[in-house]
Amino acid sequence: MDSKIGVCVIGAGRAGLLHANNYRRNVPNAKLVAVVDPNEENVKHAVKELEIDKYYLNYQDALHDDEIDAVVIVTPTNYHKEIAVAAANAGKHIFCEKPMAINEDECDYMIEAAQKNNVKLQIGFMRRFDQSFNLAKEAIENGEIGDIVLVKSLTRGPSVPQEWMYDVERSNGPLAEVNSHDIDTLRWLTGGEFKSVYAIANNYRCQDISEKYPDFYDNVVLVSEFDNGKQGVIDGSVSVKYGYDARVEILGTEGVIFVGETYDKQISVCNVETGSKRPLTKTWRSLFKEAYLEEDIDFVNCIIEDSEPSVNGHDGKMAVKVVNAGNKSIKTGDKVILD
């Protein structure tokens, strides 16, 4: 193996380019070797922006490249299992963006393939690498708010979903695409596993696609109980327009912790005509910029040090399990007990 870990990013969309830029410029002991995307225009634009020469239109071709030691999978969810298993069988380490897969069986295939081929498998829950979230975790562990009672986490995105996301059979809906982070946050902060979930959802803002995709929902609320007695609430929305919003409230027996705010900059502008105004956060790419970098650094370090990834396949599988339980609750109207 070269002194630097050769990385290939599979998927040249917004998240793919964020990771690619990190590996191209900011991750020590790593080098960006190539980008993969089936859309030739997209991938040529990506390599031009990244100032590299090598790209592939087919991920299988990239897996035969000896310069590549690891892949970063940033494709639609229904391709994750196929690509991850092929990468593991080719001896490539794997970073897979959330959600890990469509169902638990797919997650198991990915985990087994990584173990069989002795490669790393890390899942992209970057909030575990965010400074504010880590300070909250530290405060919990130090007993600063007593025993945890309830964790409430919300994620609301401003953008209109891509076409494939409307198909809940392909994407698992906003519970997967938006709220996987919240699900992992609740597991991480409560220190427990989901015992039951009850979810309600509806389509309020994306009415123009309701006839073609009648199962799609753009707003969801999920209430949960954990095996250690703690409680959780998740609030998820897409196409909210006002900005990107990710916040957490942690209630304990002796206090409360608030994480996150809607404002982008620490500035307020006041005048007689508009009153007081502050700029709102518009995108996750700026809000969690440093967290994405830290998780990319962690991935490379666990390869070099031969250590367990900070967020592993089991973490990804547990989030997928909750997503499927939540979608079942939405369809049936019943509380769902998890095994």
Side-chain angles (χ1 to χ4, degrees), residues 20-193:
N21 270 292
N22 283 342
Y23 286 111
R24 175 70 177 88
R25 299 178 172 92
N26 298 313
V27 179
N29 303 312
K31 62 177 180 179
L32 181 66
V33 174
V35 176
V36 177
D37 197 283
N39 185 308
E40 189 167 8
E41 182 179 352
N42 286 351
V43 77
K44 284 185 174 180
H45 173 78
V47 295
K48 182 179 180 181
E49 176 184 324
L50 295 163
E51 299 178 318
I52 63 172
D53 299 321
K54 190 180 291 188
Y55 68 87
Y56 295 98
L57 300 178
N58 190 313
Y59 77 84
Q60 289 97 335
D61 294 332
L63 297 182
H64 290 99
D65 189 332
D66 291 336
E67 277 194 281
I68 295 170
D69 304 305
V71 298
V72 178
I73 303 172
V74 199
T75 66
T77 310
N78 56 319
Y79 297 113
H80 286 186
K81 186 266 288 185
E82 171 192 325
I83 298 171
V85 171
N89 290 335
K92 312 298 185 185
H93 300 285
I94 304 154
F95 179 100
C96 182
E97 261 298 347
K98 65 81 202 165
M100 182 176 175
I102 293 294
N103 55 53
E104 293 173 72
D105 287 342
E106 290 189 352
C107 295
D108 285 334
Y109 281 120
M110 295 166 69
I111 292 167
E112 290 166 9
Q115 291 174 343
K116 177 183 176 182
N117 292 282
N118 195 31
V119 297
K120 308 300 179 185
L121 172 60
Q122 181 165 324
I123 309 302
F125 288 132
M126 81 292 180
R127 294 184 189 181
R128 296 199 190 202
F129 297 88
D130 179 82
Q131 184 181 36
S132 296
F133 279 78
N134 273 284
L135 288 171
K137 178 70 170 176
E138 184 179 326
I140 292 169
E141 292 176 345
N142 290 339
E144 294 181 33
I145 59 169
D147 295 327
I148 301 304
V149 175
L150 168 70
V151 180
K152 298 166 65 177
S153 184
L154 69 82
T155 302
R156 300 171 188 159
S159 59
V160 175
Q162 298 177 46
E163 178 79 15
W164 66 270
M165 295 178 182
Y166 289 127
D167 186 349
V168 176
E169 293 299 317
R170 291 182 65 197
S171 69
N172 267 344
L175 265 180
E177 288 301 313
V178 176
N179 295 120
S180 287
H181 288 301
D182 302 280
I183 292 167
D184 184 67
T185 295
L186 263 62
R187 284 187 66 241
W188 183 50
L189 294 180
T190 63
E193 296 292 356

Side-chain angles (χ1 to χ4, degrees), residues 280-299:
L280 298 177
T281 301
K282 297 297 184 183
T283 173
W284 45 267
R285 295 190 296 280
S286 60
L287 181 61
F288 290 111
K289 181 179 179 180
E290 294 303 319
Y292 276 103
L293 175 58
E294 290 301 320
E295 72 173 354
D296 287 336
I297 292 172
D298 186 76
F299 176 53

Side-chain angles (χ1 to χ4, degrees), residues 212-228:
K212 185 176 181 181
Y213 300 103
D215 294 333
F216 180 77
Y217 53 90
D218 62 14
N219 220 84
V220 60
V221 179
L222 182 145
V223 179
S224 59
E225 180 185 10
F226 290 83
D227 59 4
N228 56 10

